[in-house]
Amino acid sequence: MASYGVARSNDLLAKPCAPMPVARPELPTAEALLPYLRRLDETRWYSNFGPLLTEFEARLADRFEPQTHVVTCANATQGLTLCLQAMDLPQGSLCALPAYTFVATAHAVIAAGLVPYFLDVDPDTWMLQPQTVRDALKGAPGPISAAILVAPFGLMPDLAPWLALREETGLQVLLDAAAAFDDLQAAPVPAVVSLHATKVLGIGEGGFLATTDDILAQRVRQRTTYGFRGSRESHIPATNAKLSEYAGAVGLAALDGWPHNRLRWLRTAQAVRAALLHLPQVGFQPGWGANWVTSVCSVRLPDGAAGAAEETLNARGVETRRWWGLGCHTNPAFAGCPHGDLTETDRLGASVIGLPFAIDLDFEQIGAVASALAESLDALGPPPPPEGS
């Protein structure tokens, strides 16, 4: 069988390594939180847009271009739902979205009173393309009122073609940027980011909308707080999706540590890339760990190889995760939802796996993952010859 060049000892292959979780989140320490908790004690203001949360939103907004508004919310799923509701779309209309995404995207569409219309993604970027939506407009089983594009695992799309699509068709466009905290720096398309504990900047549970549309920002804010608008009178059907001052405290401490922690994420990602350098059948997302950071390591293996690779890795005590499963369309919750041809989604679902990845993953752990992965690839036979050979 072929060897793909990863140095590994027979002892390492002969026995399972210590159990290694696929993710190990790290939030700010108690020491980092203490100054902000003391401020909270002083004000005795615990929720309802107090000074800590207000400062957190302001510091988030400072990461973007001028005139960008930030609205925090209980989680990114709520953010997507409330943003779609604030767009005042026809109830029951279709919302185009990639089938290759986390189920939260589709749940948000349904919660907003729309019908998910699953479309295929580009095989190289794993993203829904504007032209796919244009083509779908011609043969969709009903009117499409909006489209959600997804930044897969944190890789940012080019927004210019989506702005052109919005201008050309009148479709509302929303970006699910759940994992794209690092690379999202402008929001000409409304974007929702997750602040879940598993993200590179986490607060436990939370999310935020970034948008240059001040009216949309106001409408979403109103929907996070019972429909209130400067009074105790509820003006629209809404919910309670606010973040507390405690969440604001964690967020501020997380932002304090972000410059250093970003470097730690980069260092770990580059160590993983180096360890897998001689495995030509392992494909990383464009720029992963070099131009942008995220909290997961999702790699593409040869078509259909994910299952066999997972068996080998799991047998060695290396936990894996298909973060997006086989695609949203395969989940019973969305069995009745319309979809287009999903050839590439099906291929990705059978080929992409999440490897263990954490901000403090050490070289020994990285080596164990690389060895187990190399063993699973050896079982598949030699890699194809380079193009043109």
Side-chain angles (χ1 to χ4, degrees):
M1 292 184 181
S3 172
Y4 297 123
V6 168
R8 57 197 193 277
S9 71
N10 290 331
D11 288 342
L12 182 58
L13 291 178
K15 61 183 180 180
C17 64
M20 192 184 313
V22 71
R24 193 165 177 262
E26 179 183 282
L27 266 62
T29 64
E31 289 77 13
L33 286 173
L34 189 56
Y36 295 108
L37 295 179
R38 284 176 173 156
R39 284 176 53 185
L40 195 152
D41 289 343
E42 291 170 0
T43 63
R44 295 173 65 176
W45 192 338
Y46 303 110
S47 190
N48 296 339
F49 310 109
L52 292 178
L53 185 62
T54 300
E55 181 181 341
F56 179 47
E57 290 188 341
R59 287 180 59 180
L60 288 173
D62 285 342
R63 291 175 45 82
F64 292 87
E65 295 179 339
Q67 310 306 315
T68 300
H69 305 271
V70 164
V71 179
T72 54
C73 52
N75 53 63
T77 310
Q78 283 273 32
L80 292 170
T81 298
L82 299 179
C83 194
L84 289 170
Q85 291 176 345
M87 290 174 172
D88 198 23
L89 303 167
Q91 293 291 283
S93 60
L94 300 179
C95 178
L97 72 158
Y100 195 60
T101 184
F102 184 48
V103 294
T105 316
H107 280 303
V109 171
I110 292 175
L114 308 175
V115 177
Y117 182 32
F118 296 117
L119 299 177
D120 213 357
V121 294
D122 178 82
D124 297 320
T125 64
W126 309 353
M127 296 179 190
L128 178 63
Q129 298 298 311
Q131 189 57 48
T132 303
V133 177
R134 282 192 183 89
D135 294 341
L137 288 171
K138 305 169 186 175
I144 301 176
S145 62
I148 298 180
L149 65 152
V150 176
F153 305 110
L155 174 62
M156 273 293 294
D158 179 4
L159 296 180
W162 289 96
L163 292 169
L165 175 71
R166 186 173 68 182
E167 180 68 23
E168 172 190 332
T169 65
L171 287 181
Q172 293 288 345
V173 177
L174 176 59
L175 171 61
D176 180 346
F181 174 83
D182 179 49
D183 210 23
L184 180 67
Q185 300 175 4
V189 169
V192 175
V193 178
S194 174
L195 297 171
H196 190 268
T198 56
K199 299 300 186 285
V200 288
L201 190 115
I203 65 172
E205 286 281 3
F208 68 89
L209 164 71
T211 180
T212 56
D213 185 338
D214 61 332
I215 300 299
L216 180 67
Q218 291 174 34
R219 288 175 174 172
V220 172
R221 171 75 85 202
Q222 192 175 5
R223 282 167 172 79
T224 69
T225 180
Y226 304 108
F228 294 157
R229 190 177 60 206
S231 72
R232 300 290 292 178
E233 184 178 32
S234 182
H235 291 263
I236 57 173
T239 188
N240 176 20
K242 305 184 301 294
L243 286 181
S244 72
E245 284 292 273
Y246 289 96
V250 179
L252 290 169
L255 286 176
D256 291 343
W258 172 243
H260 175 63
N261 285 336
R262 185 179 189 276
L263 294 176
R264 294 172 65 202
W265 283 113
L266 279 171
R267 180 182 62 188
T268 304
Q270 289 168 8
V272 171
R273 292 189 73 116
L276 301 181
L277 184 62
H278 300 295
L279 295 177
Q281 288 179 315
V282 178
F284 292 95
Q285 292 181 270
W288 181 87
N291 303 328
W292 53 279
V293 299
T294 187
S295 58
V296 298
C297 177
S298 288
V299 297
R300 184 167 187 175
L301 305 180
D303 285 355
E310 285 181 322
E311 286 186 14
T312 302
L313 289 162
N314 295 165
R316 296 283 173 259
V318 178
E319 184 183 5
T320 59
R321 187 73 51 84
R322 297 199 210 185
W323 292 109
W324 291 353
L326 302 178
C328 278
H329 64 295
T330 66
N331 288 266
F334 315 118
C337 297
H339 62 80
D341 176 78
L342 300 178
T343 299
E344 296 301 334
T345 298
D346 292 337
R347 186 173 289 136
L348 287 171
S351 308
V352 174
I353 64 170
L355 300 176
F357 191 60
I359 196 170
D360 56 352
L361 202 66
D362 61 36
F363 289 113
E364 182 179 354
Q365 293 170 318
I366 292 170
V369 173
S371 295
L373 187 57
E375 180 187 2
S376 72
L377 292 175
D378 281 348
L380 297 174
E387 291 185 11
S389 63

